[in-house]
Amino acid sequence: MDTIPDEFLDLVDCPRVAALTTRMPDGQPQTTAVWCDFDGEFVRVNTMRGFRKEQNMRLDPRVTLLCFDPREPLRSLEVRGTVVEMTEDDAMEHLDHLSERYTGARPYFGACVPEKFKEQEIPVLCKIRPFHVCTLDARKKEEGREPANP
């Protein structure tokens, strides 16, 4: 297992931009913008039962998550990992937490998306164990600060 350096935790612990790449049944990559956070061990994302990325992760748990801050285009974090758990337990609570962190509003169903979707969509909490972490910090050196990866 690889670890995420402390100076890059802000990129994986919302509300930054994150894109999750999974593999389709035919091997093609499929990338989706996601909300994510980090609990100190797992990168956690949320999806809905039956969505393409949920199906893909059940077929092949190897994923890549790219996180970045659009205000800092020369700084990014790539996490390659394995989905080690997909559960509906606590998934709604996690989704509401992400909704509040990313949009300032909760609950997810009602405040972010129309409440009618609550009847048709079942949240699934996905825990990703990082096995390879790549960081990039190509910003120019500022006084008193060295780039992480010059």
Side-chain angles (χ1 to χ4, degrees), residues 2 8 16 18 22 25-26 28 30 37-39 46 55 63 86 95 103 118 122 125-126 132 134 137-138 144:
D2 208 350
F8 287 87
R16 305 298 185 234
T22 62
D26 66 0
Q28 290 289 322
Q30 189 253 354
D37 66 4
F38 183 64
D39 70 2
N46 215 294
Q55 294 173 36
V63 299
M86 295 176 73
L95 184 57
T103 70
K118 188 175 186 175
I122 313 270
L125 171 59
C126 308
H132 184 76
C134 295
D137 191 344

Side-chain angles (χ1 to χ4, degrees), residues 2-57:
D2 208 350
T3 59
I4 298 171
D6 288 344
E7 62 270 20
F8 287 87
L9 287 175
D10 65 305
L11 292 178
V12 74
D13 195 22
C14 61
R16 305 298 185 234
V17 175
L20 179 72
T21 300
T22 62
R23 289 177 50 151
M24 300 284 285
D26 66 0
Q28 290 289 322
Q30 189 253 354
T31 302
T32 309
V34 294
W35 293 346
C36 66
D37 66 4
F38 183 64
D39 70 2
E41 183 177 3
F42 302 107
V43 176
R44 302 181 308 170
V45 298
N46 215 294
T47 187
M48 299 297 167
R49 186 194 309 159
F51 278 21
R52 181 77 259 166
K53 67 179 162 281
E54 189 254 359
Q55 294 173 36
N56 290 347
M57 288 185 283

Side-chain angles (χ1 to χ4, degrees), residues 46-128:
N46 215 294
T47 187
M48 299 297 167
R49 186 194 309 159
F51 278 21
R52 181 77 259 166
K53 67 179 162 281
E54 189 254 359
Q55 294 173 36
N56 290 347
M57 288 185 283
R58 290 197 188 280
L59 290 171
D60 185 342
R62 297 172 296 170
V63 299
T64 297
L65 185 74
L66 177 65
C67 306
F68 63 96
D69 182 340
R71 295 170 299 182
E72 294 282 355
L74 297 175
R75 184 169 171 264
S76 63
L77 169 71
E78 176 192 6
V79 176
R80 295 181 207 155
T82 303
V83 179
V84 296
E85 183 179 0
M86 295 176 73
T87 181
E88 294 173 14
D89 295 339
D90 298 321
M92 189 71 250
E93 180 181 308
H94 180 250
L95 184 57
D96 284 341
H97 165 74
L98 291 177
S99 175
E100 186 170 22
R101 294 282 307 271
Y102 275 84
T103 70
R106 71 185 301 157
Y108 175 77
F109 292 111
C112 289
V113 301
E115 191 162 353
K116 68 180 181 179
F117 289 116
K118 188 175 186 175
E119 302 302 317
Q120 16 182 343
E121 296 181 356
I122 313 270
V124 177
L125 171 59
C126 308
K127 294 181 180 179
I128 302 165

Side-chain angles (χ1 to χ4, degrees), residues 130-148:
F131 64 76
H132 184 76
V133 174
C134 295
T135 60
L136 171 69
D137 191 344
R139 298 174 293 183
K140 292 181 180 178
K141 179 182 173 183
E142 294 178 17
E143 188 175 328
R145 182 176 72 184
E146 292 283 336

